[in-house]
Amino acid sequence: LDSLMLLSISPENPLQVLQLPTELAVNLPGQNELQPLSSAYRQGGVSLTADVIAEVVGLDEGEPDRYLVMPREALRTLVDGLGEVDVTLNQSYSRKDLAQNYSVNLQAGRQTLNGQQAEQLARHKPVPGDEEGRRMRQQKLVTGIHDQLNQPNAITLVPTVINAVSMQMETDLTPSEMLSLAAAVMSNQEPPIFSQLGLAPRAGQQLLRELKHDQP
């Protein structure tokens, strides 16, 4: 998984996004050693992932209410369907990964990204293990998508985009529910509010992280 997020959507409030660290060390059923949170989906799908997230965050019973798994193809369709998104990057990124058939070529400054470039930004880690840096870049992308949803022509594009994206995603949301949520997001012009779980300093060279003990 490239990203895990909890979203809170309401017409009265800005979109709230809690970014969950995929490198967080968690206990998973049948495993003798701690595993990264990102492994929950691979081992137990949406159900296990939701249960682990609810325990880590301290959600009420029955939460999260809905889920949405967005493959990279769906992200590309979303961005291209909305007519590209604008982001401002503080540095350039260039890399070719032949093993994953994956390349990045993004320039510093204000950029207008198509779907393929948005995928590059969401996935890219210039430094191995730099999940925090990738989450910051994902914030820029979410904010860019939010801004695009608030453009005057978005209201005419959203139904078609949702219809196309819904066929590429795993979700328990119906297209009409997705349309209602999109309308709620579009009704508030304020930018998204991002928060993250505080992580304890990395111990040596280990890749997994633990939560800070003193956070609420």
Side-chain angles (χ1 to χ4, degrees):
L1 290 175
D2 296 321
S3 177
L4 277 169
M5 301 181 186
L6 275 176
L7 308 181
S8 178
I9 301 174
S10 162
E12 296 81 21
N13 300 300
L15 174 66
Q16 297 185 59
V17 183
L18 174 61
Q19 292 180 287
L20 299 162
T22 55
E23 73 274 30
L24 179 64
V26 295
N27 288 303
L28 296 180
Q31 301 296 318
N32 296 324
E33 298 181 349
L34 292 172
Q35 303 291 315
L37 178 57
S38 58
S39 295
Y41 182 73
R42 183 172 62 252
Q43 295 186 27
V46 169
S47 178
L48 178 59
T49 305
D51 287 346
V52 174
I53 289 173
E55 182 176 354
V56 168
V57 179
L59 299 178
D60 293 334
E61 185 176 354
E63 293 183 342
D65 303 287
R66 293 287 194 275
Y67 71 86
L68 187 153
V69 181
M70 176 173 281
R72 295 162 184 162
E73 177 188 17
L75 175 62
R76 297 194 298 269
T77 298
L78 172 65
V79 172
D80 287 335
L82 292 175
E84 304 184 333
V85 299
D86 291 333
V87 300
T88 300
L89 304 179
N90 56 9
Q91 69 179 91
S92 299
Y93 301 102
S94 180
R95 179 186 176 190
K96 287 187 177 181
D97 189 330
L98 299 179
Q100 298 187 62
N101 190 27
Y102 167 66
S103 64
V104 175
N105 185 19
L106 300 173
Q107 303 304 309
R110 187 173 179 84
Q111 301 289 312
T112 299
L113 306 183
N114 59 26
Q116 185 178 24
Q117 292 168 321
E119 178 194 350
Q120 293 176 7
L121 184 62
R123 293 181 61 188
H124 187 45
K125 286 189 297 184
V127 179
D130 183 20
E131 303 292 350
E132 293 182 18
R134 180 162 67 171
R135 284 192 285 274
M136 296 301 295
R137 289 185 288 278
Q138 290 169 352
Q139 287 185 20
K140 293 178 183 291
L141 180 57
V142 172
T143 300
I145 293 172
H146 180 271
D147 291 345
Q148 194 65 18
L149 283 171
N150 282 284
Q151 296 301 310
N153 66 331
I155 194 170
T156 62
L157 299 174
V158 166
T160 301
V161 171
I162 287 178
N163 184 59
V165 171
S166 63
M167 295 186 291
Q168 299 172 333
M169 298 187 303
E170 178 187 357
T171 181
D172 58 354
L173 288 164
T174 66
S176 62
E177 287 175 326
M178 283 190 278
L179 190 59
S180 296
L181 291 174
V185 171
M186 294 164 66
S187 69
N188 196 304
Q189 300 291 319
E190 296 183 54
I193 297 175
F194 294 93
S195 56
Q196 299 190 41
L197 298 178
L199 296 176
R202 202 181 293 275
Q205 299 299 313
Q206 71 176 46
L207 297 178
L208 299 185
R209 303 287 296 276
E210 294 185 357
L211 291 175
K212 284 184 177 178
H213 297 298
D214 56 350
Q215 69 174 324

